Every structure is written in C-alpha cells, then in structure tokens.
Amino acid sequence: QVPLVQSGGGSVQAGGSLRLSCAASGYSDYCMGWFHEAPGKEREGVAVIDSDGSTRYDDSVKGRFTISRDNAKEILYLQMDSLRPEDTGLYYCAAESPGICWLYSPNKYKFWGQGTQVTVSS
C-alpha cells in the first residue's frame, strides 16, 4: 500500500480551527480514521469514516470536529473547530481493510500516517 501522508496541523488559540489532511491513494474502499495521542497518554480514537461515508465520533469532539473523505482526490480530512487545550497532541490518520470501523481500537488499524502536531493554547 502507498503510505498515508499527513499535512496540516499547527498552533492555534482556544476556540480556533485547524484542518488536517491525509493523502490516501488506493484507500477508497478502506475504513479510515483519525486518532489523537495527548502528551503522556495512549493513542485514542477521534473519528472514523467508512467507505460509504458513515461516520462515528468520540463524545469529546462531537459537534466540533468533522471527518470527511474525498474519494475522487483520495484525501481524508479532519476539520477541527472550537479547539480546546485538551485537544493538544499528535494526530494520526489510519486505514484498515473494509470491515468494522473501530473507533476505540487503534490496534485494529494496519496503515498509519506519520503524525502531525496540534497545539492549542488557552
């Protein structure tokens, strides 16, 4: 598989917005997701999207984050609005073969992006 390549991220004040992108050539049939690794904590699921566009979100980001995929451009996105300091950390995109889109089991995902830093200051 072609590697997942992330872009976006950066530093923003609380209440601001950022958009993460993940180039995902060849993954249009795959379940894909975004995972967050806060400093000193384990990687946790943020949002996942199936090949049919169905989505699931962790309660902590519902109404603030939006996961989407453009299968024509083969890009996965995470629009992050109303950012909070606790959203700070590394964000990873991931992909797994068609099946159950696991939100809370990052170990189910075989393919990972390189990670991108998001820093939200209060």
Side-chain angles (χ1 to χ4, degrees):
Q1 289 295 106
V2 175
L4 300 171
V5 180
Q6 297 180 221
S7 58
S11 297
V12 67
Q13 289 192 325
S17 297
L18 288 171
R19 188 175 79 162
L20 306 183
S21 300
C22 175
S25 178
Y27 292 90
S28 60
D29 292 336
Y30 282 57
C31 173
M32 299 199 71
W34 289 97
F35 295 82
H36 173 219
E37 192 172 295
K41 295 189 177 181
E42 294 184 351
R43 198 170 298 182
E44 297 180 337
V46 173
V48 296
I49 184 167
D50 208 338
S51 57
D52 64 0
S54 57
T55 58
R56 293 176 61 203
Y57 295 90
D58 183 75
D59 286 346
S60 65
V61 305
K62 280 182 182 177
R64 300 190 300 122
F65 291 10
T66 303
I67 187 172
S68 62
R69 63 195 303 168
D70 185 328
N71 283 338
K73 296 181 179 179
E74 298 184 304
I75 300 177
L76 175 73
Y77 299 102
L78 184 67
Q79 178 66 40
M80 311 166 70
D81 298 319
S82 302
L83 281 160
R84 304 169 179 169
E86 55 263 39
D87 296 322
T88 293
L90 286 166
Y91 283 78
Y92 296 88
C93 64
E96 184 47 54
S97 300
I100 299 175
C101 277
W102 300 95
L103 177 58
Y104 297 118
S105 300
N107 60 308
K108 300 288 188 180
Y109 290 78
K110 184 181 299 182
F111 306 100
W112 290 88
Q114 79 276 21
T116 188
Q117 178 68 36
V118 170
T119 302
V120 185
S121 58
S122 58

